[in-house]
Amino acid sequence: MGGLKGSVGSGGANNRDDVVQVQSLLNAQRPAGSPALKVDGVAGPRTLSAISDFQRRRMGGKAADGLIEPGKRTWAALRGQPQPARRAATAAPADARATAAAARATTVAGDDPRLSGARWWHANQARYPNSSSVEDLESPFRENLKAFLAALRAGGASVRVSATRRNRARAQLMHYSWKVAHGQIAPNAVPAIDGCDIEWDHGDLTTSRAAAREMVRLFHIVFKPSLTSNHIQGTAVDMTITQPSSFSIVDAGGKTVKITSASLLHQVGASYGVYKLASDPPHWSANGR
């Protein structure tokens, strides 16, 4: 059995041959009485759970991020090898900048939990949740939206709200993940995010950008996220409206409007102060942006 070519587990590359190796080793070290994994090269829920369980058993709860990486602690433990030691700095740096770079290089080898990437995302992203509650929106947009939703439902439409206020720190994490991944900002130039302990600079540019790309993928980012989104201000909503084949709605002025096109529905929304961004199917806001 050879070495891993890529990472396996939560947020990993999960190449088939690598997953087969991990599944086989997990089976060999599974607790007595526990069922064996199917060695099929697919990193499914049972395999991901088995990785986390192994990490908790062998290395403690703090290390249970569900990810196995070549040359790192979990891979060594799974193969029954001694744990990789932290790499010590071998020479005194000439100035403060070199000192910081040397420290980062050392902590990379020691799996510094502050370093950006898939591991950081899995351990921390849940601390910065977005909201799908209308109650979290700002007034008067909150009241305007409630009135529009009531009119939609009174007309027989069903509405599913998927997002309202966006967590500011999450928006910044998404924005700078994109910028670092695409070379639009140097990792060591990313400004601090209030209440968020993350280190974007891994000591070399290639590794730093690769870690940022992992976060872009895990955040499911397709376009560069904005730092000035109406969602951050609490003045936007993403919602899916399903209307009956024959649909009429009362606008904010009390007029009944038969909806025969999307533009008519958008006009009714605007009468309530809820404006449609046509280029983004679920997005409505206080100003149409």
Side-chain angles (χ1 to χ4, degrees):
M1 187 173 290
L4 288 185
K5 294 183 175 63
S7 54
V8 173
S10 298
N14 293 321
N15 298 317
R16 184 182 182 283
D17 290 345
D18 289 337
V19 176
V20 165
Q21 285 194 70
V22 167
Q23 289 170 329
S24 299
L25 289 168
L26 286 169
N27 281 340
Q29 298 202 39
R30 74 185 189 276
S34 64
L37 295 169
K38 182 179 179 181
V39 182
D40 57 4
V42 178
R46 286 195 59 209
T47 298
L48 299 183
S49 177
I51 292 171
S52 296
D53 288 344
F54 174 82
Q55 290 174 320
R56 279 189 288 269
R57 292 198 315 272
R58 292 294 301 273
M59 291 172 289
K62 290 184 178 180
D65 60 2
L67 186 67
I68 299 175
E69 298 174 279
K72 297 293 182 70
R73 294 180 62 216
T74 304
W75 179 236
L78 196 57
R79 302 186 74 188
Q81 297 174 344
Q83 296 292 295
R86 289 177 179 265
R87 184 170 65 239
T90 57
D95 55 32
R97 184 179 294 275
T99 300
R104 282 194 296 271
T106 300
T107 55
V108 170
D111 294 335
D112 184 343
R114 298 175 304 129
L115 288 170
S116 59
R119 180 170 297 180
W120 190 97
W121 190 94
H122 285 291
N124 297 284
Q125 66 87 22
R127 300 177 187 176
Y128 312 101
N130 290 332
S131 174
S132 59
S133 172
V134 174
E135 296 300 330
D136 288 334
L137 294 169
E138 288 294 309
S139 182
F141 183 70
R142 177 177 62 243
E143 292 74 23
N144 293 343
L145 177 61
K146 285 183 175 180
F148 183 38
L149 291 174
L152 285 165
R153 288 164 177 153
S158 62
V159 184
R160 182 179 66 85
V161 174
S162 55
T164 54
R165 185 181 288 274
R166 181 169 297 159
N167 183 286
R168 185 177 296 276
R170 192 179 188 89
Q172 291 175 291
L173 285 164
M174 294 170 70
H175 177 83
Y176 289 113
S177 293
W178 177 277
K179 291 193 73 172
V180 172
H182 290 80
Q184 296 176 3
I185 189 171
N188 62 4
V190 177
I193 298 174
D194 189 32
C196 183
D197 190 13
I198 185 170
E199 173 59 67
W200 300 90
D201 189 353
H202 288 241
D204 71 89
L205 189 57
T206 299
T207 305
S208 301
R209 287 182 178 173
R213 286 195 294 272
E214 289 179 345
M215 293 181 64
V216 167
R217 177 175 58 80
L218 289 164
F219 277 125
H220 303 290
I221 304 171
V222 178
F223 301 106
K224 179 180 175 180
S226 172
L227 288 179
T228 57
S229 167
N230 279 307
H231 280 290
I232 300 172
Q233 307 303 324
T235 55
V237 60
D238 286 349
M239 59 184 180
T240 302
I241 301 169
T242 304
Q243 59 192 57
S245 55
S246 179
F247 179 50
S248 295
I249 182 173
V250 178
D251 68 14
K255 177 183 176 182
T256 299
V257 180
K258 183 176 177 62
I259 303 301
T260 57
S261 67
S263 62
L264 283 173
L265 182 60
H266 299 171
Q267 290 173 26
V268 173
S271 76
Y272 285 95
V274 181
Y275 297 90
K276 186 73 186 71
L277 177 61
S279 62
D280 189 343
H283 186 85
W284 303 68
S285 70
N287 58 12
R289 298 193 293 272

